[in-house]
Amino acid sequence: MNASLHRHHRRRAHRLGPRGALAIALLALGVGLTGCASRRPPEPLAVVAPAPVPLPPPGPALDVKDGHVWSPDIAAVARELQQLALDNGQVEVMRTAGNQVRVRIDAADAVDRRDALQPRFRHFVERAAEVLARSPAVRVRVEAGIRVNSPANSPAAAKGRNQALGWARGTEAILASRGIPADRLTSEARAGGDAEPAGSFDAGPRRYIELLAADPIAQ
């Protein structure tokens, strides 16, 4: 406590008598305690732990078969399309090296003499579309091809390509009518030297229509 303050209180206590001295002493004691209390160190601040960062959800499990990676969606598509092929009897289904499901139909079983898609083929494509529409991540490409013994830029190849393009677009329209959005569908035609199919169908039919289903997660 400040020495001058003590001397001041003693002088006042002498003038005020015993009772005044007692009051002055109590007052001085209170001031001292207040001063001591004011010099206490500040209370430490509570440390708030940061909120835990949520982990991202695990990705879909991938299936590796014969060296190829398949997502659950594309594996399910392959199983269901293979069952449809068994029911139809004129359809080939396989998984290709490009992580796709490839469905091939001989044009002789898909197109009539007027170059129109046959009812049996239309029914198969409609059922396949119902399978494909249930997997929103899967993209579908329709390919139609005609093999001719001519270069890809020859008039014969151009004629075959136009014919195949009509088959491909007709098939694409069936798929779209059964619930597959346009942004998941593409179509193309091949003829002449570019009509050799990919995958393991090198000994396939001269004229064909294919559905290729691919899941981007497995690319």
Side-chain angles (χ1 to χ4, degrees):
M1 186 182 297
N2 193 295
S4 62
L5 184 61
H6 275 292
R7 288 193 297 272
H8 173 72
H9 289 325
R10 284 197 298 271
R11 287 195 298 271
R12 291 192 63 187
H14 180 74
R15 291 196 299 270
L16 295 177
R19 291 184 179 180
L22 178 61
I24 293 298
L26 292 175
L27 177 62
L29 178 61
V31 172
L33 292 176
T34 303
C36 294
S38 65
R39 291 194 294 273
R40 290 180 181 175
E43 294 292 333
L45 297 176
V47 178
V48 180
V53 179
L55 296 175
L62 300 179
D63 174 38
V64 180
K65 183 176 181 180
D66 298 330
H68 305 312
V69 180
W70 307 101
S71 69
D73 277 353
I74 206 67
V77 165
R79 288 192 299 270
E80 295 191 66
L81 291 181
Q82 285 167 349
Q83 186 60 52
L84 290 181
L86 291 175
D87 295 342
N88 186 278
Q90 302 294 324
V91 180
E92 298 174 274
V93 180
M94 73 171 295
R95 293 178 174 184
T96 73
N99 296 324
Q100 301 177 97
V101 177
R102 184 183 294 268
V103 182
R104 167 171 287 185
I105 304 97
D106 191 326
D109 299 313
V111 182
D112 61 22
R113 294 182 178 180
R114 296 174 300 172
D115 216 29
L117 301 179
Q118 296 184 17
R120 184 179 181 182
F121 172 74
R122 286 178 170 273
H123 180 63
F124 171 79
V125 175
E126 288 171 353
R127 295 177 66 192
E130 293 170 0
V131 172
L132 295 164
R134 290 196 293 268
S135 299
V138 172
R139 302 292 185 263
V140 184
R141 186 169 84 253
V142 182
E143 286 188 10
I146 299 177
R147 300 185 189 186
V148 295
N149 295 324
S150 303
N153 59 354
S154 66
K159 180 180 178 180
R161 193 175 297 108
N162 287 336
Q163 186 181 18
L165 185 60
W167 305 343
R169 288 179 174 172
T171 304
E172 182 183 9
I174 297 172
L175 294 170
S177 71
R178 291 290 172 163
I180 301 180
D183 61 355
R184 292 174 51 197
L185 284 169
T186 56
S187 61
E188 63 179 278
R190 299 174 179 271
D194 64 352
E196 289 296 325
S200 301
F201 286 99
D202 296 334
R206 188 179 69 86
R207 306 188 312 158
Y208 59 88
I209 300 175
E210 292 182 348
L211 308 178
L212 296 100
D215 188 347
I217 198 172
Q219 298 299 309

